[in-house]
Amino acid sequence: MEILDAIILGIIQGLTEFLPVSSSGHLEIGKAILGDNSVPEESLLFTVVLHFATALSTMVIFRKDILNLIKGALKFEWNDDLQFISKIAISMIPAVIVGLFFEEQLESLFGGNILLVGCMLIVTAILLFLADKAKDTEKKVSFQNAFVIGISQAIAMLPGISRSGATISTSVLLGNDKTKAARFSFLMVVPLIFGKIAKDVLSGDLTYDSGNFTALSIGFVAAFIAGLFACTWMISLVKKSKLSYFAIYCVIVGIIAIVFSLLN
């Protein structure tokens, strides 16, 4: 992989992991435009590295929250912190089930299926339009909400469905506070990312070529820095109800992706 390609894909991953425009969908579009000829094993390793970078950027942004959750959990009391961690665990159930039992079917959708990506981006746009019109409240995510949000996260494993867009929109449409919805959305994905990375490493599917070290490192740094920026920006945008702008963007990119797929 060329250095410039690594930088571009790293920035795409870092920005779109948090902005509600689908990181997986944009990576597929980016690879198609750049003509990524990486063999599947190399492509998987690069994707894992980029996701690891964005997970770390989430932990940096929410480092105080994560530290407080750990401190609260270590008190071994049914306090707000332990309840929040329990809600995160509940939200993971749907995605874990999909990942364990439908992994092959899911991976088959990531073979440059730009038409699917385009259609799913338009679905994401609809969700964002609806969420942007929802009234703001002070309600926090309940246990029931956590599971429903988890279902939306599982559905967002499809390329083109934005994970942050789907989970934040679902949470807001359930009547939750927008800031709390964004916080829950970003924190709920961290254990999933690390779990997926561990699974890929233990499966032996990852292959490493020392010649790709520079590209992997640059892609990691690009994704990490872009992730820090995007995560902070997204929290501010959700508070200000600016999701409709991303909905318009998703519609435009979705239409372009559909046209691109039909012409190639």
Side-chain angles (χ1 to χ4, degrees), residues 172-192:
V172 170
L173 291 172
L174 288 171
N176 295 305
D177 175 79
K178 292 181 178 179
T179 302
K180 291 183 176 68
R183 176 175 178 261
F184 188 80
S185 171
F186 293 145
L187 288 175
M188 70 187 284
V189 75
V190 174
L192 273 182

Side-chain angles (χ1 to χ4, degrees), residues 18 147 159 199 207 247-248:
F18 300 105
F147 186 75
K199 182 178 180 296
T207 58
I248 295 171

Side-chain angles (χ1 to χ4, degrees), residues 236-249:
S236 173
L237 289 172
V238 172
K239 289 180 182 178
K240 298 175 182 178
S241 297
K242 301 293 184 181
L243 295 179
S244 59
Y245 295 115
F246 290 101
I248 295 171
Y249 171 82

Side-chain angles (χ1 to χ4, degrees), residues 136-141 171-172 175-182:
D136 201 4
T137 68
E138 295 184 359
K139 179 185 174 184
K140 63 181 181 180
V141 177
S171 185
V172 170
N176 295 305
D177 175 79
K178 292 181 178 179
T179 302
K180 291 183 176 68

